[in-house]
Amino acid sequence: MELLMDGVIDTHIHLSEHYKGGLPNSWHPKVDSPGFQRDWSLEDFRASTKRGAGGASRFGVVGAIFVECFNEGPLEEAQWVLDLMQKDPFLLGLVAQIRVQQGPEHVKAFLEKIRLPSGELPKGLKGARFVFMACENQADDACLDPVFLEGLQVLSDAQLLWEFCCEPRMALHLPSCIKRFPKMTFVIDHLAHNGSKGGDMDTWGPAIDALGQLPNVYMKMGATEQWEVEDPGAYMDRAIKAFGFDRILYESNWFVNEAMGDAYDRTATLLYEACPRAGASDLDLVKVFRGNACHVYQLDL
């Protein structure tokens, strides 16, 4: 089958080797779905990228960004991934499990422990994330907690980005948080739609429009089909209109997508089909599936 896109960078994958004696994982073994109950290695990811819904995948993936996924402990997860990156250049960057919601001292302590002997941070460390649904503060406006904001400042001072993973009910409050850090890069995972609370178009749409007005925000275009969205294409259309082709990123959310029964190329196909609906050129498609990832994660490719 002919490739639709080659040279693709997947900006959102997870890895876990819990069952074969790797780092213990506090998340996927507890998920009430038999599809999750196995290991997910970098070799498994490579194999998945070659399989599509109709046989061979129509997207040629050449690299990926690892995003934290509750391998324990956070520092050990980060070091494991950084070591993998040294062995296999297919893995291009790390978004580490840093609980910025716990405040500046926590962020400082993590960064000090991961520094190289030279005192510099590892080049592969691109930013941080910790899922808001796993935090004690479950308020819609948890992103405005002063302790979290102080933690973000430390991350910003270190020239690292932050990825928001939250339920859509929080999306309305994200611009107020992000406006405080105009020089910091922010990435929104899964179209701010990790779940369905507040995810109806009338509530979610205006929040996405407001985020699109902020030039330092980038939107990951995936996983809506995994979070009870009836028409993923409509959500992609709204986000593309808000952000344009210079600030959207392809993500598969592997291994979650495969564990939930989707072929690797389902999300990629949904995004590929949404772009022409918005008038994308061939150059725009290259930005969405590769170029923007190189910019956001500072990749030398």
Side-chain angles (χ1 to χ4, degrees), residues 76-113:
E76 287 77 7
E77 179 188 66
Q79 194 58 61
W80 171 51
V81 174
L82 290 168
D83 290 345
L84 279 176
M85 291 175 63
Q86 292 295 318
K87 300 172 185 175
D88 193 336
F90 190 78
L91 203 55
L92 300 171
L94 160 68
V95 177
Q97 183 187 157
I98 306 178
R99 300 192 183 200
V100 176
Q101 294 92 335
Q102 292 187 359
E105 295 308 316
H106 180 86
V107 180
K108 290 176 184 177
F110 184 97
L111 296 181
E112 285 306 310
K113 290 176 182 176

PDB file of all heavy atoms in Angstrom, residues 76-113:
ATOM      1  N   GLU A  76      13.794   7.409  37.855  1.00  0.00           N
ATOM      2  CA  GLU A  76      14.224   6.161  37.220  1.00  0.00           C
ATOM      3  C   GLU A  76      13.622   6.026  35.822  1.00  0.00           C
ATOM      4  O   GLU A  76      14.287   5.547  34.895  1.00  0.00           O
ATOM      5  CB  GLU A  76      13.831   4.973  38.087  1.00  0.00           C
ATOM      6  CG  GLU A  76      14.652   4.808  39.349  1.00  0.00           C
ATOM      7  CD  GLU A  76      14.282   5.775  40.462  1.00  0.00           C
ATOM      8  OE1 GLU A  76      13.278   6.516  40.314  1.00  0.00           O
ATOM      9  OE2 GLU A  76      14.986   5.808  41.495  1.00  0.00           O
ATOM     10  N   GLU A  77      12.365   6.442  35.655  1.00  0.00           N
ATOM     11  CA  GLU A  77      11.746   6.419  34.329  1.00  0.00           C
ATOM     12  C   GLU A  77      12.524   7.305  33.370  1.00  0.00           C
ATOM     13  O   GLU A  77      12.836   6.910  32.238  1.00  0.00           O
ATOM     14  CB  GLU A  77      10.294   6.872  34.407  1.00  0.00           C
ATOM     15  CG  GLU A  77       9.597   6.900  33.047  1.00  0.00           C
ATOM     16  CD  GLU A  77       8.213   7.527  33.102  1.00  0.00           C
ATOM     17  OE1 GLU A  77       8.129   8.749  33.387  1.00  0.00           O
ATOM     18  OE2 GLU A  77       7.238   6.816  32.841  1.00  0.00           O
ATOM     19  N   ALA A  78      12.834   8.514  33.817  1.00  0.00           N
ATOM     20  CA  ALA A  78      13.556   9.458  32.972  1.00  0.00           C
ATOM     21  C   ALA A  78      14.924   8.908  32.575  1.00  0.00           C
ATOM     22  O   ALA A  78      15.326   8.982  31.403  1.00  0.00           O
ATOM     23  CB  ALA A  78      13.697  10.797  33.687  1.00  0.00           C
ATOM     24  N   GLN A  79      15.646   8.338  33.523  1.00  0.00           N
ATOM     25  CA  GLN A  79      16.977   7.827  33.220  1.00  0.00           C
ATOM     26  C   GLN A  79      16.905   6.628  32.289  1.00  0.00           C
ATOM     27  O   GLN A  79      17.753   6.463  31.397  1.00  0.00           O
ATOM     28  CB  GLN A  79      17.709   7.453  34.506  1.00  0.00           C
ATOM     29  CG  GLN A  79      19.204   7.243  34.298  1.00  0.00           C
ATOM     30  CD  GLN A  79      19.880   8.467  33.716  1.00  0.00           C
ATOM     31  OE1 GLN A  79      19.871   9.538  34.328  1.00  0.00           O
ATOM     32  NE2 GLN A  79      20.466   8.337  32.520  1.00  0.00           N
ATOM     33  N   TRP A  80      15.897   5.781  32.481  1.00  0.00           N
ATOM     34  CA  TRP A  80      15.693   4.626  31.600  1.00  0.00           C
ATOM     35  C   TRP A  80      15.509   5.085  30.167  1.00  0.00           C
ATOM     36  O   TRP A  80      16.132   4.553  29.231  1.00  0.00           O
ATOM     37  CB  TRP A  80      14.480   3.834  32.090  1.00  0.00           C
ATOM     38  CG  TRP A  80      14.011   2.753  31.168  1.00  0.00           C
ATOM     39  CD1 TRP A  80      14.769   1.768  30.592  1.00  0.00           C
ATOM     40  CD2 TRP A  80      12.674   2.526  30.706  1.00  0.00           C
ATOM     41  NE1 TRP A  80      13.977   0.947  29.816  1.00  0.00           N
ATOM     42  CE2 TRP A  80      12.692   1.388  29.874  1.00  0.00           C
ATOM     43  CE3 TRP A  80      11.462   3.165  30.949  1.00  0.00           C
ATOM     44  CZ2 TRP A  80      11.546   0.900  29.255  1.00  0.00           C
ATOM     45  CZ3 TRP A  80      10.312   2.676  30.339  1.00  0.00           C
ATOM     46  CH2 TRP A  80      10.359   1.554  29.506  1.00  0.00           C
ATOM     47  N   VAL A  81      14.669   6.091  29.967  1.00  0.00           N
ATOM     48  CA  VAL A  81      14.395   6.578  28.608  1.00  0.00           C
ATOM     49  C   VAL A  81      15.624   7.274  28.028  1.00  0.00           C
ATOM     50  O   VAL A  81      15.952   7.095  26.845  1.00  0.00           O
ATOM     51  CB  VAL A  81      13.167   7.508  28.613  1.00  0.00           C
ATOM     52  CG1 VAL A  81      12.960   8.142  27.244  1.00  0.00           C
ATOM     53  CG2 VAL A  81      11.928   6.726  29.018  1.00  0.00           C
ATOM     54  N   LEU A  82      16.326   8.063  28.824  1.00  0.00           N
ATOM     55  CA  LEU A  82      17.541   8.707  28.329  1.00  0.00           C
ATOM     56  C   LEU A  82      18.583   7.669  27.910  1.00  0.00           C
ATOM     57  O   LEU A  82      19.285   7.846  26.902  1.00  0.00           O
ATOM     58  CB  LEU A  82      18.117   9.631  29.399  1.00  0.00           C
ATOM     59  CG  LEU A  82      17.306  10.904  29.684  1.00  0.00           C
ATOM     60  CD1 LEU A  82      17.817  11.580  30.947  1.00  0.00           C
ATOM     61  CD2 LEU A  82      17.342  11.862  28.500  1.00  0.00           C
ATOM     62  N   ASP A  83      18.683   6.570  28.651  1.00  0.00           N
ATOM     63  CA  ASP A  83      19.607   5.490  28.280  1.00  0.00           C
ATOM     64  C   ASP A  83      19.161   4.835  26.970  1.00  0.00           C
ATOM     65  O   ASP A  83      20.001   4.520  26.109  1.00  0.00           O
ATOM     66  CB  ASP A  83      19.673   4.445  29.386  1.00  0.00           C
ATOM     67  CG  ASP A  83      20.384   4.949  30.633  1.00  0.00           C
ATOM     68  OD1 ASP A  83      21.069   5.987  30.548  1.00  0.00           O
ATOM     69  OD2 ASP A  83      20.228   4.323  31.699  1.00  0.00           O
ATOM     70  N   LEU A  84      17.848   4.636  26.819  1.00  0.00           N
ATOM     71  CA  LEU A  84      17.329   4.084  25.564  1.00  0.00           C
ATOM     72  C   LEU A  84      17.679   4.986  24.389  1.00  0.00           C
ATOM     73  O   LEU A  84      18.015   4.510  23.299  1.00  0.00           O
ATOM     74  CB  LEU A  84      15.811   3.912  25.642  1.00  0.00           C
ATOM     75  CG  LEU A  84      15.256   2.692  26.348  1.00  0.00           C
ATOM     76  CD1 LEU A  84      13.721   2.762  26.388  1.00  0.00           C
ATOM     77  CD2 LEU A  84      15.688   1.407  25.639  1.00  0.00           C
ATOM     78  N   MET A  85      17.580   6.285  24.587  1.00  0.00           N
ATOM     79  CA  MET A  85      17.884   7.237  23.520  1.00  0.00           C
ATOM     80  C   MET A  85      19.338   7.144  23.090  1.00  0.00           C
ATOM     81  O   MET A  85      19.661   7.330  21.905  1.00  0.00           O
ATOM     82  CB  MET A  85      17.557   8.661  23.982  1.00  0.00           C
ATOM     83  CG  MET A  85      16.079   8.934  24.150  1.00  0.00           C
ATOM     84  SD  MET A  85      15.753  10.579  24.849  1.00  0.00           S
ATOM     85  CE  MET A  85      16.418  11.624  23.553  1.00  0.00           C
ATOM     86  N   GLN A  86      20.231   6.864  24.023  1.00  0.00           N
ATOM     87  CA  GLN A  86      21.641   6.698  23.679  1.00  0.00           C
ATOM     88  C   GLN A  86      21.867   5.456  22.821  1.00  0.00           C
ATOM     89  O   GLN A  86      22.731   5.439  21.929  1.00  0.00           O
ATOM     90  CB  GLN A  86      22.485   6.604  24.957  1.00  0.00           C
ATOM     91  CG  GLN A  86      22.549   7.885  25.757  1.00  0.00           C
ATOM     92  CD  GLN A  86      23.265   9.001  25.014  1.00  0.00           C
ATOM     93  OE1 GLN A  86      24.305   8.778  24.376  1.00  0.00           O
ATOM     94  NE2 GLN A  86      22.717  10.204  25.075  1.00  0.00           N
ATOM     95  N   LYS A  87      21.073   4.421  23.085  1.00  0.00           N
ATOM     96  CA  LYS A  87      21.226   3.161  22.357  1.00  0.00           C
ATOM     97  C   LYS A  87      20.496   3.151  21.026  1.00  0.00           C
ATOM     98  O   LYS A  87      20.907   2.469  20.092  1.00  0.00           O
ATOM     99  CB  LYS A  87      20.704   2.008  23.218  1.00  0.00           C
ATOM    100  CG  LYS A  87      21.426   1.832  24.537  1.00  0.00           C
ATOM    101  CD  LYS A  87      20.719   0.795  25.404  1.00  0.00           C
ATOM    102  CE  LYS A  87      21.354   0.686  26.783  1.00  0.00           C
ATOM    103  NZ  LYS A  87      20.604  -0.227  27.670  1.00  0.00           N
ATOM    104  N   ASP A  88      19.398   3.904  20.946  1.00  0.00           N
ATOM    105  CA  ASP A  88      18.536   3.826  19.767  1.00  0.00           C
ATOM    106  C   ASP A  88      18.051   5.222  19.388  1.00  0.00           C
ATOM    107  O   ASP A  88      17.151   5.770  20.033  1.00  0.00           O
ATOM    108  CB  ASP A  88      17.338   2.913  20.058  1.00  0.00           C
ATOM    109  CG  ASP A  88      16.567   2.538  18.801  1.00  0.00           C
ATOM    110  OD1 ASP A  88      16.646   3.294  17.812  1.00  0.00           O
ATOM    111  OD2 ASP A  88      15.877   1.511  18.805  1.00  0.00           O
ATOM    112  N   PRO A  89      18.616   5.833  18.352  1.00  0.00           N
ATOM    113  CA  PRO A  89      18.241   7.203  17.967  1.00  0.00           C
ATOM    114  C   PRO A  89      16.824   7.331  17.434  1.00  0.00           C
ATOM    115  O   PRO A  89      16.377   8.446  17.157  1.00  0.00           O
ATOM    116  CB  PRO A  89      19.271   7.550  16.891  1.00  0.00           C
ATOM    117  CG  PRO A  89      19.747   6.242  16.350  1.00  0.00           C
ATOM    118  CD  PRO A  89      19.697   5.289  17.513  1.00  0.00           C
ATOM    119  N   PHE A  90      16.105   6.217  17.314  1.00  0.00           N
ATOM    120  CA  PHE A  90      14.692   6.280  16.921  1.00  0.00           C
ATOM    121  C   PHE A  90      13.872   7.031  17.961  1.00  0.00           C
ATOM    122  O   PHE A  90      12.860   7.651  17.660  1.00  0.00           O
ATOM    123  CB  PHE A  90      14.151   4.855  16.755  1.00  0.00           C
ATOM    124  CG  PHE A  90      12.788   4.773  16.127  1.00  0.00           C
ATOM    125  CD1 PHE A  90      12.627   4.908  14.756  1.00  0.00           C
ATOM    126  CD2 PHE A  90      11.661   4.544  16.900  1.00  0.00           C
ATOM    127  CE1 PHE A  90      11.373   4.825  14.167  1.00  0.00           C
ATOM    128  CE2 PHE A  90      10.411   4.454  16.327  1.00  0.00           C
ATOM    129  CZ  PHE A  90      10.268   4.597  14.956  1.00  0.00           C
ATOM    130  N   LEU A  91      14.314   6.964  19.216  1.00  0.00           N
ATOM    131  CA  LEU A  91      13.668   7.698  20.303  1.00  0.00           C
ATOM    132  C   LEU A  91      14.333   9.071  20.385  1.00  0.00           C
ATOM    133  O   LEU A  91      15.532   9.177  20.640  1.00  0.00           O
ATOM    134  CB  LEU A  91      13.837   6.928  21.617  1.00  0.00           C
ATOM    135  CG  LEU A  91      12.831   7.198  22.736  1.00  0.00           C
ATOM    136  CD1 LEU A  91      11.403   6.990  22.268  1.00  0.00           C
ATOM    137  CD2 LEU A  91      13.123   6.319  23.931  1.00  0.00           C
ATOM    138  N   LEU A  92      13.554  10.119  20.165  1.00  0.00           N
ATOM    139  CA  LEU A  92      14.100  11.452  19.911  1.00  0.00           C
ATOM    140  C   LEU A  92      14.060  12.403  21.102  1.00  0.00           C
ATOM    141  O   LEU A  92      14.768  13.410  21.109  1.00  0.00           O
ATOM    142  CB  LEU A  92      13.341  12.101  18.744  1.00  0.00           C
ATOM    143  CG  LEU A  92      13.400  11.360  17.419  1.00  0.00           C
ATOM    144  CD1 LEU A  92      12.439  11.992  16.425  1.00  0.00           C
ATOM    145  CD2 LEU A  92      14.815  11.360  16.870  1.00  0.00           C
ATOM    146  N   GLY A  93      13.203  12.136  22.079  1.00  0.00           N
ATOM    147  CA  GLY A  93      13.083  13.081  23.174  1.00  0.00           C
ATOM    148  C   GLY A  93      12.274  12.512  24.320  1.00  0.00           C
ATOM    149  O   GLY A  93      11.542  11.535  24.168  1.00  0.00           O
ATOM    150  N   LEU A  94      12.411  13.162  25.468  1.00  0.00           N
ATOM    151  CA  LEU A  94      11.759  12.735  26.699  1.00  0.00           C
ATOM    152  C   LEU A  94      10.948  13.883  27.291  1.00  0.00           C
ATOM    153  O   LEU A  94      11.477  14.987  27.492  1.00  0.00           O
ATOM    154  CB  LEU A  94      12.827  12.292  27.712  1.00  0.00           C
ATOM    155  CG  LEU A  94      12.431  12.251  29.187  1.00  0.00           C
ATOM    156  CD1 LEU A  94      11.410  11.135  29.447  1.00  0.00           C
ATOM    157  CD2 LEU A  94      13.673  12.054  30.071  1.00  0.00           C
ATOM    158  N   VAL A  95       9.677  13.612  27.561  1.00  0.00           N
ATOM    159  CA  VAL A  95       8.844  14.492  28.386  1.00  0.00           C
ATOM    160  C   VAL A  95       8.694  13.769  29.715  1.00  0.00           C
ATOM    161  O   VAL A  95       8.008  12.759  29.817  1.00  0.00           O
ATOM    162  CB  VAL A  95       7.481  14.765  27.738  1.00  0.00           C
ATOM    163  CG1 VAL A  95       6.611  15.628  28.654  1.00  0.00           C
ATOM    164  CG2 VAL A  95       7.668  15.457  26.386  1.00  0.00           C
ATOM    165  N   ALA A  96       9.373  14.275  30.739  1.00  0.00           N
ATOM    166  CA  ALA A  96       9.564  13.536  31.985  1.00  0.00           C
ATOM    167  C   ALA A  96       8.395  13.695  32.942  1.00  0.00           C
ATOM    168  O   ALA A  96       7.618  14.653  32.874  1.00  0.00           O
ATOM    169  CB  ALA A  96      10.852  13.991  32.666  1.00  0.00           C
ATOM    170  N   GLN A  97       8.311  12.751  33.843  1.00  0.00           N
ATOM    171  CA  GLN A  97       7.284  12.729  34.885  1.00  0.00           C
ATOM    172  C   GLN A  97       7.739  13.610  36.059  1.00  0.00           C
ATOM    173  O   GLN A  97       8.327  13.142  37.028  1.00  0.00           O
ATOM    174  CB  GLN A  97       7.063  11.282  35.342  1.00  0.00           C
ATOM    175  CG  GLN A  97       5.987  11.076  36.365  1.00  0.00           C
ATOM    176  CD  GLN A  97       5.956   9.643  36.885  1.00  0.00           C
ATOM    177  OE1 GLN A  97       5.469   9.408  37.975  1.00  0.00           O
ATOM    178  NE2 GLN A  97       6.478   8.682  36.143  1.00  0.00           N
ATOM    179  N   ILE A  98       7.463  14.897  35.939  1.00  0.00           N
ATOM    180  CA  ILE A  98       7.816  15.846  36.994  1.00  0.00           C
ATOM    181  C   ILE A  98       6.518  16.420  37.550  1.00  0.00           C
ATOM    182  O   ILE A  98       5.732  17.028  36.816  1.00  0.00           O
ATOM    183  CB  ILE A  98       8.709  16.983  36.476  1.00  0.00           C
ATOM    184  CG1 ILE A  98       9.951  16.413  35.769  1.00  0.00           C
ATOM    185  CG2 ILE A  98       9.126  17.884  37.631  1.00  0.00           C
ATOM    186  CD1 ILE A  98      10.873  17.476  35.193  1.00  0.00           C
ATOM    187  N   ARG A  99       6.296  16.224  38.844  1.00  0.00           N
ATOM    188  CA  ARG A  99       5.044  16.672  39.457  1.00  0.00           C
ATOM    189  C   ARG A  99       5.117  18.167  39.772  1.00  0.00           C
ATOM    190  O   ARG A  99       5.248  18.579  40.930  1.00  0.00           O
ATOM    191  CB  ARG A  99       4.749  15.852  40.707  1.00  0.00           C
ATOM    192  CG  ARG A  99       4.616  14.361  40.399  1.00  0.00           C
ATOM    193  CD  ARG A  99       4.051  13.589  41.569  1.00  0.00           C
ATOM    194  NE  ARG A  99       4.002  12.172  41.273  1.00  0.00           N
ATOM    195  CZ  ARG A  99       3.230  11.309  41.910  1.00  0.00           C
ATOM    196  NH1 ARG A  99       2.444  11.719  42.889  1.00  0.00           N
ATOM    197  NH2 ARG A  99       3.236  10.029  41.595  1.00  0.00           N
ATOM    198  N   VAL A 100       5.026  18.943  38.715  1.00  0.00           N
ATOM    199  CA  VAL A 100       5.109  20.395  38.857  1.00  0.00           C
ATOM    200  C   VAL A 100       4.006  20.905  39.779  1.00  0.00           C
ATOM    201  O   VAL A 100       4.165  21.925  40.453  1.00  0.00           O
ATOM    202  CB  VAL A 100       5.037  21.058  37.468  1.00  0.00           C
ATOM    203  CG1 VAL A 100       5.028  22.576  37.581  1.00  0.00           C
ATOM    204  CG2 VAL A 100       6.231  20.599  36.616  1.00  0.00           C
ATOM    205  N   GLN A 101       2.893  20.188  39.845  1.00  0.00           N
ATOM    206  CA  GLN A 101       1.789  20.570  40.732  1.00  0.00           C
ATOM    207  C   GLN A 101       2.210  20.594  42.202  1.00  0.00           C
ATOM    208  O   GLN A 101       1.526  21.192  43.027  1.00  0.00           O
ATOM    209  CB  GLN A 101       0.606  19.616  40.544  1.00  0.00           C
ATOM    210  CG  GLN A 101      -0.051  19.700  39.165  1.00  0.00           C
ATOM    211  CD  GLN A 101       0.533  18.724  38.160  1.00  0.00           C
ATOM    212  OE1 GLN A 101       1.685  18.300  38.281  1.00  0.00           O
ATOM    213  NE2 GLN A 101      -0.243  18.354  37.165  1.00  0.00           N
ATOM    214  N   GLN A 102       3.326  19.944  42.533  1.00  0.00           N
ATOM    215  CA  GLN A 102       3.811  19.947  43.915  1.00  0.00           C
ATOM    216  C   GLN A 102       4.700  21.143  44.230  1.00  0.00           C
ATOM    217  O   GLN A 102       5.121  21.313  45.368  1.00  0.00           O
ATOM    218  CB  GLN A 102       4.547  18.640  44.218  1.00  0.00           C
ATOM    219  CG  GLN A 102       3.626  17.432  44.237  1.00  0.00           C
ATOM    220  CD  GLN A 102       4.325  16.173  44.697  1.00  0.00           C
ATOM    221  OE1 GLN A 102       5.520  16.170  44.987  1.00  0.00           O
ATOM    222  NE2 GLN A 102       3.582  15.083  44.782  1.00  0.00           N
ATOM    223  N   GLY A 103       4.989  21.960  43.237  1.00  0.00           N
ATOM    224  CA  GLY A 103       5.654  23.213  43.517  1.00  0.00           C
ATOM    225  C   GLY A 103       7.119  23.289  43.127  1.00  0.00           C
ATOM    226  O   GLY A 103       7.713  22.316  42.649  1.00  0.00           O
ATOM    227  N   PRO A 104       7.715  24.457  43.347  1.00  0.00           N
ATOM    228  CA  PRO A 104       9.062  24.729  42.845  1.00  0.00           C
ATOM    229  C   PRO A 104      10.152  23.862  43.445  1.00  0.00           C
ATOM    230  O   PRO A 104      11.091  23.475  42.747  1.00  0.00           O
ATOM    231  CB  PRO A 104       9.267  26.210  43.201  1.00  0.00           C
ATOM    232  CG  PRO A 104       8.309  26.492  44.311  1.00  0.00           C
ATOM    233  CD  PRO A 104       7.121  25.634  44.032  1.00  0.00           C
ATOM    234  N   GLU A 105      10.071  23.546  44.719  1.00  0.00           N
ATOM    235  CA  GLU A 105      11.133  22.756  45.336  1.00  0.00           C
ATOM    236  C   GLU A 105      11.178  21.348  44.757  1.00  0.00           C
ATOM    237  O   GLU A 105      12.262  20.763  44.581  1.00  0.00           O
ATOM    238  CB  GLU A 105      10.957  22.728  46.851  1.00  0.00           C
ATOM    239  CG  GLU A 105      11.112  24.091  47.515  1.00  0.00           C
ATOM    240  CD  GLU A 105      12.398  24.799  47.112  1.00  0.00           C
ATOM    241  OE1 GLU A 105      13.464  24.125  47.073  1.00  0.00           O
ATOM    242  OE2 GLU A 105      12.346  26.004  46.822  1.00  0.00           O
ATOM    243  N   HIS A 106      10.009  20.803  44.455  1.00  0.00           N
ATOM    244  CA  HIS A 106       9.957  19.477  43.848  1.00  0.00           C
ATOM    245  C   HIS A 106      10.608  19.508  42.469  1.00  0.00           C
ATOM    246  O   HIS A 106      11.382  18.608  42.121  1.00  0.00           O
ATOM    247  CB  HIS A 106       8.505  19.001  43.729  1.00  0.00           C
ATOM    248  CG  HIS A 106       8.373  17.645  43.115  1.00  0.00           C
ATOM    249  ND1 HIS A 106       8.462  16.477  43.839  1.00  0.00           N
ATOM    250  CD2 HIS A 106       8.177  17.273  41.824  1.00  0.00           C
ATOM    251  CE1 HIS A 106       8.324  15.449  43.033  1.00  0.00           C
ATOM    252  NE2 HIS A 106       8.149  15.902  41.802  1.00  0.00           N
ATOM    253  N   VAL A 107      10.298  20.525  41.679  1.00  0.00           N
ATOM    254  CA  VAL A 107      10.878  20.634  40.337  1.00  0.00           C
ATOM    255  C   VAL A 107      12.391  20.809  40.426  1.00  0.00           C
ATOM    256  O   VAL A 107      13.145  20.149  39.705  1.00  0.00           O
ATOM    257  CB  VAL A 107      10.236  21.801  39.562  1.00  0.00           C
ATOM    258  CG1 VAL A 107      10.849  21.910  38.162  1.00  0.00           C
ATOM    259  CG2 VAL A 107       8.725  21.633  39.471  1.00  0.00           C
ATOM    260  N   LYS A 108      12.837  21.689  41.304  1.00  0.00           N
ATOM    261  CA  LYS A 108      14.274  21.919  41.463  1.00  0.00           C
ATOM    262  C   LYS A 108      14.993  20.637  41.849  1.00  0.00           C
ATOM    263  O   LYS A 108      16.081  20.336  41.321  1.00  0.00           O
ATOM    264  CB  LYS A 108      14.521  22.988  42.523  1.00  0.00           C
ATOM    265  CG  LYS A 108      14.117  24.393  42.116  1.00  0.00           C
ATOM    266  CD  LYS A 108      14.304  25.364  43.283  1.00  0.00           C
ATOM    267  CE  LYS A 108      13.819  26.756  42.947  1.00  0.00           C
ATOM    268  NZ  LYS A 108      13.944  27.685  44.111  1.00  0.00           N
ATOM    269  N   ALA A 109      14.407  19.867  42.771  1.00  0.00           N
ATOM    270  CA  ALA A 109      15.048  18.635  43.236  1.00  0.00           C
ATOM    271  C   ALA A 109      15.181  17.624  42.100  1.00  0.00           C
ATOM    272  O   ALA A 109      16.223  16.973  41.943  1.00  0.00           O
ATOM    273  CB  ALA A 109      14.254  18.038  44.392  1.00  0.00           C
ATOM    274  N   PHE A 110      14.132  17.488  41.294  1.00  0.00           N
ATOM    275  CA  PHE A 110      14.179  16.555  40.162  1.00  0.00           C
ATOM    276  C   PHE A 110      15.285  16.970  39.193  1.00  0.00           C
ATOM    277  O   PHE A 110      16.095  16.137  38.758  1.00  0.00           O
ATOM    278  CB  PHE A 110      12.835  16.504  39.449  1.00  0.00           C
ATOM    279  CG  PHE A 110      12.773  15.492  38.331  1.00  0.00           C
ATOM    280  CD1 PHE A 110      12.233  14.243  38.540  1.00  0.00           C
ATOM    281  CD2 PHE A 110      13.277  15.798  37.074  1.00  0.00           C
ATOM    282  CE1 PHE A 110      12.187  13.302  37.512  1.00  0.00           C
ATOM    283  CE2 PHE A 110      13.249  14.867  36.038  1.00  0.00           C
ATOM    284  CZ  PHE A 110      12.703  13.622  36.263  1.00  0.00           C
ATOM    285  N   LEU A 111      15.303  18.233  38.822  1.00  0.00           N
ATOM    286  CA  LEU A 111      16.274  18.704  37.839  1.00  0.00           C
ATOM    287  C   LEU A 111      17.703  18.562  38.352  1.00  0.00           C
ATOM    288  O   LEU A 111      18.616  18.215  37.578  1.00  0.00           O
ATOM    289  CB  LEU A 111      15.979  20.153  37.459  1.00  0.00           C
ATOM    290  CG  LEU A 111      14.638  20.400  36.751  1.00  0.00           C
ATOM    291  CD1 LEU A 111      14.484  21.876  36.404  1.00  0.00           C
ATOM    292  CD2 LEU A 111      14.494  19.543  35.498  1.00  0.00           C
ATOM    293  N   GLU A 112      17.919  18.804  39.633  1.00  0.00           N
ATOM    294  CA  GLU A 112      19.261  18.659  40.180  1.00  0.00           C
ATOM    295  C   GLU A 112      19.729  17.211  40.104  1.00  0.00           C
ATOM    296  O   GLU A 112      20.902  16.938  39.820  1.00  0.00           O
ATOM    297  CB  GLU A 112      19.304  19.160  41.620  1.00  0.00           C
ATOM    298  CG  GLU A 112      19.290  20.675  41.736  1.00  0.00           C
ATOM    299  CD  GLU A 112      20.390  21.333  40.915  1.00  0.00           C
ATOM    300  OE1 GLU A 112      21.563  20.912  41.025  1.00  0.00           O
ATOM    301  OE2 GLU A 112      20.070  22.261  40.138  1.00  0.00           O
ATOM    302  N   LYS A 113      18.823  16.280  40.337  1.00  0.00           N
ATOM    303  CA  LYS A 113      19.195  14.865  40.341  1.00  0.00           C
ATOM    304  C   LYS A 113      19.482  14.327  38.944  1.00  0.00           C
ATOM    305  O   LYS A 113      20.229  13.348  38.802  1.00  0.00           O
ATOM    306  CB  LYS A 113      18.079  14.039  40.989  1.00  0.00           C
ATOM    307  CG  LYS A 113      17.965  14.263  42.486  1.00  0.00           C
ATOM    308  CD  LYS A 113      16.779  13.505  43.054  1.00  0.00           C
ATOM    309  CE  LYS A 113      16.621  13.769  44.548  1.00  0.00           C
ATOM    310  NZ  LYS A 113      15.409  13.101  45.104  1.00  0.00           N
TER     311      LYS A 113
END
